[in-house]
Amino acid sequence: GDSVTQTEGLVTLTEGLPVMLNCTYQTIYSNPFLFWYVQHLNESPRLLLKSFTDNKRTEHQGFHATLHKSSSSFHLQKSSAQLSDSALYYCALSLTGGLSGKLTFGEGTQVTVIS
Amino acid sequence: EAAVTQSPRNKVAVTGGKVTLSCNQTNNHNNMYWYRQDTGHGLRLIHYSYGAGSTEKGDIPDGYKASRPSQENFSLILELATPSQTSVYFCASGDRDWGGASEQYFGPGTRLTVL
């Protein structure tokens, strides 16, 4: 079945330094939709950004990601981490052409930004 | 702004007891979902629904039932609760979208402890 892999479970960053969270996926379908959701402490997950287009950069709230179908990757990046970026980040996969909108989530990366 | 509410927010149940978690959405979304969140596993889909009267099994449906009596309401039922079902449960809603790009809107979560 479909799967999403986030290799880092816990990441500690220093404020002002760049952020990169890894996400790779597996699916037999050629047109997946990839998402990043963010969950701050004691809150519920919310959409950060999403992409369908191969090799096109998507940006939102200072974060960006590019879907690379050749490597089945959708890494999340930010040029300069802020304390408020401390949160749990989920990469997720959806398949186009279906009514359900089901998401397959990775295990999540817990990010802590320190000063 | 999307509005998904859950009740109760916290629940302590005994092993073998019946537990019902309720979810209400005012977004008029067709699709609704139940997830559980556990450290090391991320968000896992239990059941989902395409609309009133429909329920579908997700990735981990064993031990759970679901009910969708109306567009707005979606319940998760644990007929015989077990300690392994101790978790945080999230309900979400989303539009029906053939493109697969539909954002999911999450409720605040229910923390369930089964003793």
Side-chain angles (χ1 to χ4, degrees):
Chain A
D2 304 320
S3 66
V4 175
T5 300
Q6 295 179 246
T7 52
E8 310 100 346
L10 295 168
V11 171
T12 301
L13 302 165
T14 301
E15 187 180 19
L17 294 185
V19 180
M20 180 166 172
L21 306 184
N22 291 314
C23 172
T24 57
Y25 63 91
Q26 283 190 310
T27 178
I28 62 172
Y29 299 98
S30 58
N31 295 312
F33 225 107
L34 273 294
F35 301 77
W36 278 99
Y37 278 77
V38 59
Q39 183 180 14
H40 287 92
L41 187 63
N42 296 324
E43 296 183 4
S44 53
R46 62 172 175 83
L47 180 67
L48 180 58
L49 49 78
K50 62 184 181 183
S51 181
F52 169 74
T53 307
D54 198 11
N55 298 317
K56 182 180 178 181
R57 175 170 161 146
T58 299
E59 299 190 36
H60 187 61
Q61 296 183 335
F63 288 90
H64 63 92
T66 302
L67 176 59
H68 292 296
K69 292 185 180 180
S70 60
S71 57
S72 298
S73 67
F74 191 57
H75 306 318
L76 183 68
Q77 300 183 66
K78 188 177 185 185
S79 59
S80 175
Q82 299 177 285
L83 295 175
S84 58
D85 295 330
S86 295
L88 180 58
Y89 291 81
Y90 285 109
C91 184
L93 166 72
S94 176
L95 301 177
T96 59
L99 287 174
S100 75
K102 288 194 304 176
L103 292 173
T104 298
F105 285 88
E107 295 179 2
T109 299
Q110 181 66 55
V111 173
T112 301
V113 181
I114 58 175
S115 59
Chain B
E1 181 74 27
V4 181
T5 57
Q6 294 181 230
S7 63
R9 294 294 311 280
N10 290 281
K11 173 75 176 178
V12 178
V14 296
T15 298
K18 182 177 180 178
V19 176
T20 300
L21 307 182
S22 299
C23 178
N24 178 275
Q25 55 105 355
T26 59
N27 309 315
N28 199 33
H29 287 159
N30 289 303
N31 295 341
M32 295 186 74
Y33 313 86
W34 276 106
Y35 296 92
R36 61 178 287 174
Q37 181 178 45
D38 303 284
T39 303
H41 292 279
L43 289 160
R44 293 181 290 174
L45 182 65
I46 305 169
H47 284 288
Y48 63 100
S49 168
Y50 291 111
S54 104
T55 60
E56 304 291 335
K57 294 181 179 179
D59 299 321
I60 54 163
D62 292 346
Y64 302 93
K65 291 171 57 179
S67 173
R68 182 89 182 268
S70 65
Q71 179 82 338
E72 298 80 19
N73 295 295
F74 190 37
S75 297
L76 185 68
I77 303 149
L78 292 66
E79 296 277 6
L80 294 170
T82 69
S84 65
Q85 293 175 314
T86 293
S87 186
V88 178
Y89 291 85
F90 284 99
C91 175
S93 73
D95 276 330
R96 187 171 299 167
D97 180 353
W98 279 102
S102 181
E103 176 180 356
Q104 289 189 15
Y105 295 86
F106 286 79
T110 295
R111 185 173 297 276
L112 174 65
T113 302
V114 182
L115 302 175

